[in-house]
Amino acid sequence: MDFYDEMLDAISRDAARRGVRADEAVFQKFLDRIVPDKVSAAPPAELRAQTSRLDSVPVAGTTAGAIDAAETPPAGAATPPSIPGDWAGLRSMTLSCRNCPLAGSRQNVVFGEGNERARLMFIGEGPGADEDASGRPFVGAAGQLLDKMIAAMHLAREDVYIANIVKCRPPGNRMPGEDEAAACIGYLKKQIELIQPEVIVLLGGTALHFLLQIDGITKYRGRWQSYNNIAVMPTFHPAFLLRKAEAKREAWHDLKLVMAKLGIAL
Ligand code: URA
């Protein structure tokens, strides 16, 4: 996203939080307020510097009707200040989210589920048709395999927390777009912050890409990574394992590393 898109995105999210609709005219008003000579798409270096300084200042509260640059987080920020820090607030904001076009085609927001104090968290890509219909993560064919993987680790679904990079179904099960993930990932990051799991298992390349900004599940699976001091194990997505059964051996290898890290005997 370029600067223009980032600002538009931040303003849209801010407007959604206030329950109003933001569009490019609002953005232009914002620019008019902060840039005297009405710079449009590319702000001067001076403004870029000012914006990034403001981004690092935490600001509590809002001024009604005003758009406060200090309040708008950079796209993809770990925990945008506007996202509530408690489960009830987070759930309610997520369930009513309309920050990206996926809101228009979803049946249900798939918030995530499981033990809010889980030691182990699984993160997938995004809801499929079954998850969209039920509002629950990993309940279709891939979910049944995930249940078996969890059971093989001597755990139950209730012991772990299961979530996705995006909480609404991308039509046709396509990968979430960069903008869709950027609009949504703050909710996931807040869930991680609330749960504080000891280990996160990233299911597939899309989760790897959007949480850690690295690409290549075949390269990275089975190799410990880190997210905010939490150990992260990338492995194959169960939907991939359903198509390529011989890769299950590698996925099991990865899960055994996770068991060892959590002190679970084989
Ligand atoms: N695939 C995912 O990545 N997530 C789900 O919740 C279901 C299928």
Side-chain angles (χ1 to χ4, degrees), residues 124-128 131 136-138 142 164 237:
E125 176 173 326
E131 291 77 21
R136 297 183 56 212
F138 280 99
N164 282 303
H237 193 288

Side-chain angles (χ1 to χ4, degrees), residues 251-264:
W252 177 230
H253 165 271
D254 305 343
L255 296 182
K256 282 194 288 189
L257 293 177
V258 172
M259 290 171 73
K261 174 80 92 191
L262 292 172
I264 301 172

